Amino acid sequence: MDIRHQMIPLLQVKDKLPSDSLNYAWIERRPERAECGLVAYFSGDTELESLNLDSPFGNERISLILVDGNLTVKRYIYNENTDGAAGLIVKGHLSVQNMVVGGQEIYVSGSLTVQELFWGDYNHGDLTVKGDVNAAVFAETDEYHVNIAGSLNCRQDLTPWDSHGDWQGLDMEVLKRWLVEELYTADEEECWLTRGSDVLQLLKAGKSLLKEQSEDSLPRPEDDLHKLRETVTVQAIEDILALPLVQERYNDYYDTDKNGYWYGSLFFGFRLPEQGPTARVLVGEETVNENGEDVFFFFHYDIAVDEQGDKMVALYYQEGNGHENELKPLPPDDTNALKKALHHFKRLVAKVRFDNKQYVQKGDRQKSESDALEMKKEQYMQALMEQEDLVDRTCMLLGHTFRVITVKQADRLLNAIVHPAHDTPLYHILNSAWLHLADERPIYYLLSEENVHLQRLDMTQLAEEADKLQFTIAGYVFAANLTVDTFIEAYDTDYSPPMAVFGDLTARNIALCGATFYVGGNVKCECLYGYYNHGQLVVAGRLEADAVIADDFVMHIGTIGSNVLISRNDIYGIDKLESESGSMIERWTLYPSTYRAKDVLHDVLVDYDASPDGLWPDRSMLLDRFEKGGSVIDWEKLEQTYASFTDELPAAFDEIFHSGGPNGKSLYKIKVDDAGSCYFYQSHEQDWKQVGFIDGPQFYIMRIVWYIEENQWQMFYDVYNGQWEMQCQFQTAPEDSYTSTLAVKKRFREALQALRSQRMPEAKLLDVLYMGEGHPDVQQVVRLPDLYVPSGSIVAADPLANMERPAFARRTPVGTFPVYLYIERQYNRICCAEIRFSEDEIAAWEMAVLPGQKVEELKAGEIFGYPVDAGLGCFMDKESAHQFMKHQQQLAEQLGEAYDNYYDDYLSELLEGDEAVSSDYCNAIPFSGQPYNAAVFRSGWGDGFYASYFALNKNGQVVRLITDFACLED
């Protein structure tokens, strides 16, 4: 047994922690805070006399105790402060006489055995045990969190909740029978457990916390199946399914948003009687296996009906998630499974009943508030309906005389407008008027019955001017044409006043949001910009615009006269198509995005912070440009975007399908989302090859097909219905400039970039690797001492936080090879590290992966890489990594209590010592006289997640390995 421990910063033990532990998750979220925490680390099986978590080993700076093995504590584990004591993680079994804890994470990878009392208190504490829990008395109070993967075996379970999840408090008679009097107290109404100096003195004196029990007083073991049957009854299941929480909120077993909810690592699910062959409640548990993968195990508690029509409980278990996994009857002789099924059902009942009480109470409050609001709305609407029509009231705004009309008058003017795509009323003027309920001033619409010519239509300015006239503008109605010299701009993304123009609308630039806008004629402008999903635009006629931008803002346009479309699948237009009978029919068709904002707008107007690819405009800059009347579109950029596209196609297809296709497969996909969207790359023998994009939610496919024998290229936009039955197809040539052609071109380039990101570094880094110090962004290329590679298995990792990281799956040549560091000019940081195995010409790249990692499982934009938590990266052979781990262990043993961490006690001298070559890199040699070494270097901007790539020659042999530290700016 080892009772010596090392003091290590919390950040440096991250990879030794269970990946599903709270401490691991906390480090992931707040690595900068984790640098301050100290860990008492025991490297093997450990035996302690006692453990006080308020001040472990007399050091209040310790935030966590980590035992990399079994832990035996002869007497007690204790803390009094339940708000924030030191945590305890045991990666084996834990055995102790008494355990009185709370206010921290207790995590046991094996089983927990407590000879007498386990008591966890207060909702700031969590107990996670991956094995069984064995205790004479087990107590959890004040919402202490317990998660036991195995079974709970105890003589007495002390909980203030009854089997139905109702609060009942602790039973004083039970406390008196089991516990010494120092552990509890009471008043006239209730009793509770207590801890303090008296309890600690008992523990220090080695005295028992339990009263002696006669054999007759001890509960006798019961048949586990009988106990389970007594608890899990038809009535108990029906009671759960009848709760309002289930009936109203979790009432659809086949809808992932409504079939249940998570409670920590447990999932509670519900199937109502009418939704399947049996009514059901279920408890699913999510755990992490030894490979770091999420695994699921479910218990199903069903109400079945026998041949006589009588209801009965049927118990099942299920390994794995999904309807395809088989349900199996719960074995009646599997004690652990029966106990666990009982424990989980009790947890479900207690938690769901508790949550139901809160749900009902919240619902009652909301209903009361809703009823009061509805009454106010009815009174307000009635007052609007009773308003007398205004006949001759006018006002002068923006140099134009408007008629002022009531909401009721506006409703009569607009209620006949029908949404052309949905055949439903477009406006609900009266129903939406309640949005002005809080206005203290009367609300009116502005009406102009003749053609209007304004210099600008700024709704913010109009609202301010109307405010001076003591009323609020609820909307605008232009009965004829509207011409605006500069811009039209709505002002509130949630609730701008609606505007209807029955004639034509002409303006230089238009920005809309927060309402429904209608144009009965045509629209002509330079840039039409709609944003946010609280608004929409309907144009009955033709839209002529240099650019249309719909950012989560739906537009239905009769005829679209622009092929510069930037949208999130929000623009619809009418197309005339030939039916199977030869007649012409009209149908609404989704017009996909044809450009990115960076392809169309001046660079200053592009929001590169929100999207490095420049997909969207910078809203504030674009609106400012509208208001100042400056140019929006960069025509030179726009014309060049696809100017060379046709000439690029052969080389692009050759790049995509080299060696027979991505990874040699006839069909390869890169996932975009979980709704079925993906980029695809397909080769059909020597007949054709195609690259495209499938949009799962919108049911369309865009693709470019190369017919090999004919050497012809075709662009396809295929539109489907919700059952993936083709509705129409738009077929064009690469030379065309139709909207469908441009949309396919845009998606093709995205597909090419998605594939490149899985195969190779960014283009700018490739230029840096090719040009070296000749590149304008490179300050210097530094050559480090050669790296010793005896096995050909390279480890790239943070040498402080992740020395045990596996080697890459691809093997490299063996020998000694130079390492180069590329230092960028602007911030003087290392942007790339490289091992150069050969000077052969690079024919292909591939992302470096660990065994078991599959590039094809990545979504677009995702990478495999290694995490950096200490600001350092390295290259080393797998055999060298073993030597470094051995060196670290020996150093810790030599220094004993004086050992701090591997950086301070070893690497810091190589990087910061008097003989250090540089503070940014070094050649680390664990044992002098031996060839093992590691190239250690600063990782760009520091902590992060960085990908590595192998460069291959024409024969598929490794010629380079690089790590991209992602600090080259575009």
Side-chain angles (χ1 to χ4, degrees):
M1 294 288 183
D2 187 1
I3 60 172
R4 293 176 299 174
H5 63 274
Q6 305 171 38
M7 299 298 293
I8 303 176
L10 179 58
L11 194 60
Q12 294 184 21
V13 301
K14 174 187 171 186
D15 290 323
K16 297 181 184 294
L17 303 178
S19 60
D20 61 339
S21 66
L22 297 176
N23 274 274
Y24 185 95
W26 186 75
I27 295 174
E28 284 273 286
R29 292 195 306 269
R30 303 296 299 273
E32 73 283 357
R33 298 281 295 273
E35 293 178 354
C36 305
L38 279 181
V39 178
Y41 174 66
F42 293 84
S43 59
D45 291 349
T46 301
E47 184 176 295
L48 300 174
E49 186 69 23
S50 61
L51 182 56
N52 189 330
L53 298 177
D54 285 323
S55 181
F57 317 114
N59 188 343
E60 295 183 355
R61 294 181 59 208
I62 295 175
S63 61
L64 177 66
I65 298 162
L66 174 60
V67 179
D68 209 347
N70 301 317
L71 173 61
T72 301
V73 181
K74 294 181 180 179
R75 297 166 66 188
Y76 62 85
I77 299 175
Y78 174 88
N79 66 273
E80 183 174 352
N81 179 10
T82 56
D83 272 321
L88 173 63
I89 295 180
V90 180
K91 296 178 72 175
H93 302 299
L94 170 58
S95 177
V96 62
Q97 183 178 3
N98 284 289
M99 192 166 180
V100 180
V101 293
Q104 74 282 85
E105 178 185 27
I106 306 290
Y107 187 107
V108 183
S109 295
S111 296
L112 169 62
T113 301
V114 183
Q115 298 169 25
E116 295 186 0
L117 170 67
F118 175 90
W119 174 25
D121 182 55
Y122 197 38
N123 59 18
H124 286 194
D126 293 80
L127 171 69
T128 299
V129 180
K130 293 302 183 179
D132 297 334
V133 173
N134 302 287
V137 176
F138 187 89
E140 49 178 307
T141 56
D142 206 1
E143 299 183 20
Y144 185 77
H145 304 138
V146 176
N147 182 14
I148 302 171
S151 58
L152 171 61
N153 306 301
C154 63
R155 293 179 173 180
Q156 181 63 52
D157 187 357
L158 296 178
T159 174
W161 304 92
D162 66 15
S163 61
H164 297 292
D166 295 321
W167 175 267
Q168 64 177 7
L170 295 172
D171 188 328
M172 189 64 176
E173 293 304 316
V174 174
L175 299 184
K176 287 181 178 179
R177 186 169 76 240
W178 284 96
L179 305 180
V180 296
E181 60 185 15
E182 288 86 348
L183 269 169
Y184 58 86
T185 187
D187 57 21
E188 294 180 356
E189 296 182 355
E190 62 178 330
C191 58
W192 59 91
L193 296 179
T194 183
R195 65 183 71 188
S197 59
D198 291 344
V199 174
L200 183 58
Q201 291 305 317
L202 288 175
L203 293 171
K204 288 182 175 180
K207 295 183 178 180
S208 175
L209 298 184
L210 304 183
K211 290 183 177 178
E212 292 187 11
Q213 301 289 318
S214 68
E215 289 297 321
D216 292 339
S217 66
L218 293 177
R220 297 190 179 278
E222 296 183 46
D223 175 76
D224 294 307
L225 181 58
H226 177 68
K227 195 171 184 179
L228 180 61
R229 293 289 187 188
E230 280 189 333
T231 304
V232 184
T233 63
V234 170
Q235 187 63 51
I237 296 173
E238 289 181 338
D239 287 348
I240 290 296
L241 294 178
L243 295 174
L245 176 67
V246 177
Q247 290 284 321
E248 299 169 8
R249 189 167 178 181
Y250 301 109
N251 55 11
D252 191 340
Y253 186 71
Y254 300 101
D255 184 335
T256 54
D257 293 325
K258 297 181 179 180
N259 65 352
Y261 64 99
W262 286 93
Y263 173 53
S265 62
L266 298 181
F267 178 79
F268 301 145
F270 316 95
R271 184 168 72 188
L272 300 179
E274 63 273 15
Q275 294 179 341
T278 59
R280 169 182 294 168
V281 299
L282 66 86
V283 179
E285 182 176 21
E286 180 184 23
T287 58
V288 179
N289 65 16
E290 61 275 9
N291 297 322
E293 302 168 330
D294 293 334
V295 293
F296 298 88
F297 189 92
F298 291 86
F299 288 105
H300 294 261
Y301 311 87
D302 288 16
I303 299 178
V305 179
D306 62 18
E307 294 179 356
Q308 288 73 39
D310 296 327
K311 295 179 180 178
M312 56 182 290
V313 174
L315 302 171
Y316 302 95
Y317 72 95
Q318 175 187 341
E319 296 176 302
N321 191 20
H323 300 295
E324 70 279 2
N325 294 94
E326 182 183 359
L327 266 64
K328 300 177 182 179
L330 191 63
D333 56 351
D334 188 336
T335 300
N336 286 335
L338 295 173
K339 288 181 177 179
K340 191 171 182 180
L342 176 61
H343 175 73
H344 280 347
F345 187 79
K346 287 182 176 180
R347 301 287 292 182
L348 178 144
V349 171
K351 178 61 177 172
V352 174
R353 285 187 175 276
F354 177 78
D355 291 343
N356 181 70
K357 284 185 177 180
Q358 293 188 318
Y359 175 78
V360 172
Q361 291 171 358
K362 182 179 179 181
D364 290 343
R365 290 195 302 272
Q366 290 178 336
K367 187 176 186 306
S368 176
E369 295 170 357
S370 177
D371 290 345
L373 178 60
E374 284 298 321
M375 183 175 294
K376 286 184 179 180
K377 286 167 59 176
E378 289 179 10
Q379 294 172 349
Y380 183 72
M381 300 291 288
Q382 186 63 34
L384 292 177
M385 291 295 294
E386 293 174 356
Q387 280 185 325
E388 293 185 4
D389 289 352
L390 298 178
V391 178
D392 54 2
R393 181 171 178 179
T394 62
C395 68
M396 176 72 73
L397 295 172
L398 299 180
H400 181 78
T401 301
F402 288 92
R403 274 190 60 194
V404 179
I405 61 175
T406 66
V407 173
K408 185 171 63 173
Q409 288 174 285
D411 183 64
R412 289 200 297 268
L413 289 171
L414 302 180
N415 66 7
I417 301 176
V418 175
H419 196 297
H422 307 311
D423 199 27
T424 56
L426 183 63
Y427 286 103
H428 302 276
I429 299 300
L430 287 171
N431 290 339
S432 61
W434 70 268
L435 296 171
H436 297 279
L437 186 63
D439 287 350
E440 297 180 357
R441 296 175 179 178
I443 64 170
Y444 298 113
Y445 272 71
L446 297 184
L447 168 64
S448 180
E449 296 172 301
E450 68 278 356
N451 293 336
V452 177
H453 190 148
L454 302 174
Q455 196 273 329
R456 58 194 287 172
L457 202 168
D458 184 345
M459 294 187 184
T460 301
Q461 182 182 356
L462 278 168
E464 292 172 353
E465 292 190 16
D467 192 51
K468 298 175 183 177
L469 300 175
Q470 302 297 308
F471 70 87
T472 297
I473 300 174
Y476 308 88
V477 180
F478 296 90
N481 300 322
L482 171 61
T483 301
V484 180
D485 293 336
T486 54
F487 69 93
I488 299 172
E489 185 179 324
Y491 65 85
D492 190 313
T493 55
D494 286 316
Y495 304 114
S496 284
M499 181 176 76
V501 180
F502 283 84
D504 295 335
L505 171 61
T506 304
R508 181 174 182 184
N509 293 299
I510 302 172
L512 306 175
C513 64
T516 293
F517 301 89
Y518 170 78
V519 180
N522 302 319
V523 175
K524 188 174 183 178
C525 63
E526 177 181 333
C527 182
L528 171 61
Y529 178 36
Y531 56 95
Y532 198 48
N533 57 25
H534 282 198
Q536 64 172 326
L537 168 66
V538 173
V539 178
R542 180 179 179 85
L543 167 65
E544 292 285 350
D546 295 330
V548 182
I549 306 172
D551 186 356
D552 199 18
F553 182 95
V554 177
M555 300 180 181
H556 284 86
I557 300 165
T559 304
I560 298 178
S562 172
N563 59 15
V564 180
L565 308 178
I566 303 170
S567 80
R568 304 178 189 267
N569 289 333
D570 288 326
I571 301 175
Y572 296 83
I574 295 179
D575 283 306
K576 293 183 178 180
L577 307 171
E578 185 176 351
S579 68
E580 294 181 355
S581 63
S583 62
M584 301 302 293
I585 60 173
E586 292 186 347
R587 61 163 286 141
W588 285 96
T589 305
L590 172 67
Y591 276 55
S593 185
T594 58
Y595 290 88
R596 302 168 298 180
K598 68 179 290 185
D599 303 325
V600 178
L601 307 179
H602 292 289
D603 269 346
V604 70
L605 305 178
V606 180
D607 190 350
Y608 288 104
D609 291 334
S611 171
D613 293 330
L615 300 178
W616 299 102
D618 183 309
R619 183 182 302 167
S620 61
M621 296 295 293
L622 184 60
L623 296 181
D624 182 67
R625 184 65 61 92
F626 283 2
E627 294 171 6
K628 292 179 179 177
S631 172
V632 172
I633 297 176
D634 187 328
W635 290 102
E636 183 177 353
K637 264 200 321 182
L638 178 61
E639 291 170 1
Q640 291 300 315
T641 299
Y642 298 122
S644 59
F645 184 87
T646 303
D647 296 332
E648 296 168 2
L649 272 178
F653 263 64
D654 184 61
E655 176 186 339
I656 292 170
F657 293 102
H658 81 280
S659 302
N663 289 357
K665 297 182 178 180
S666 61
L667 176 60
Y668 183 78
K669 296 180 180 180
I670 297 179
K671 187 177 181 181
V672 173
D673 57 37
D674 293 324
S677 301
C678 67
Y679 300 107
F680 66 91
Y681 317 81
Q682 188 175 22
S683 176
H684 187 266
E685 299 176 349
Q686 295 303 310
D687 298 333
W688 50 262
K689 301 179 188 293
Q690 65 175 349
V691 177
F693 172 75
I694 299 174
D695 191 304
Q698 296 295 333
F699 300 100
Y700 68 76
I701 299 176
M702 287 187 284
R703 54 199 172 97
I704 296 181
V705 183
W706 175 36
Y707 296 99
I708 300 171
E709 186 174 345
E710 299 86 352
N711 194 28
Q712 289 184 351
W713 304 85
Q714 290 291 332
M715 324 279 277
F716 293 93
Y717 172 36
D718 304 327
V719 180
Y720 296 80
N721 62 17
Q723 288 71 47
W724 284 102
E725 299 167 337
M726 185 178 288
Q727 301 298 290
C728 60
Q729 181 181 82
F730 299 86
Q731 181 177 340
T732 58
E735 303 82 24
D736 295 331
S737 57
Y738 299 110
T739 52
S740 63
T741 313
L742 298 176
V744 175
K745 290 179 179 180
K746 176 177 179 290
R747 286 299 191 182
F748 174 79
R749 285 187 170 171
E750 291 174 2
L752 180 60
Q753 182 56 40
L755 189 62
R756 282 174 173 171
S757 69
Q758 288 193 352
R759 284 181 170 173
M760 64 181 66
E762 294 289 339
K764 190 168 187 178
L765 181 55
L766 292 177
D767 290 340
V768 165
L769 293 172
Y770 176 74
M771 299 177 63
E773 291 183 352
H775 194 285
D777 291 333
V778 176
Q779 174 72 31
Q780 183 183 11
V781 179
V782 177
R783 175 170 176 169
L784 270 62
D786 287 357
L787 186 71
Y788 178 53
V789 183
S791 72
S793 295
I794 301 296
V795 175
D798 182 329
L800 295 177
N802 202 0
M803 189 79 76
E804 304 89 349
R805 184 176 174 82
F808 290 126
R810 178 177 279 278
R811 300 290 293 272
T812 71
V814 298
T816 56
F817 304 98
V819 175
Y820 294 92
L821 302 178
Y822 294 77
I823 301 175
E824 56 86 31
R825 185 178 302 278
Q826 185 172 3
Y827 300 103
N828 204 35
R829 293 182 177 273
I830 297 170
C831 65
C832 177
E834 173 196 14
I835 309 174
R836 192 171 301 176
F837 298 97
S838 165
E839 296 294 341
D840 286 357
E841 183 177 351
I842 297 172
W845 289 88
E846 68 177 29
M847 187 177 292
V849 297
L850 303 182
Q853 292 179 334
K854 297 180 180 179
V855 172
E856 56 264 32
E857 294 178 357
L858 292 172
K859 291 183 181 179
E862 293 181 340
I863 60 172
F864 286 120
Y866 68 84
V868 171
D869 293 324
L872 293 174
C874 78
F875 288 134
M876 56 186 167
D877 188 88
K878 179 176 66 175
E879 293 185 10
S880 297
H882 293 154
Q883 295 298 317
F884 275 100
M885 287 185 280
K886 180 179 177 182
H887 179 252
Q888 183 179 10
Q889 184 177 357
Q890 290 185 6
L891 188 63
E893 291 174 353
Q894 291 171 6
L895 296 178
E897 292 290 338
Y899 179 78
D900 194 357
N901 59 71
Y902 200 49
Y903 182 83
D904 290 340
D905 295 316
Y906 174 60
L907 281 178
S908 63
E909 185 65 23
L910 302 179
L911 290 168
E912 302 174 19
D914 295 337
E915 299 183 8
V917 176
S918 170
S919 61
D920 289 331
Y921 50 83
C922 69
N923 178 42
I925 301 174
F927 298 106
S928 60
Q930 296 186 13
Y932 303 104
N933 69 331
V936 180
F937 31 79
R938 302 288 179 189
S939 53
W941 289 105
D943 296 352
F945 190 77
Y946 303 110
S948 299
Y949 300 87
F950 285 110
L952 311 177
N953 64 15
K954 63 181 181 180
N955 298 318
Q957 298 168 327
V958 176
V959 296
R960 299 191 190 188
L961 171 63
I962 68 118
T963 298
D964 178 6
F965 290 119
C967 58
L968 282 174
E969 295 189 358
D970 291 334

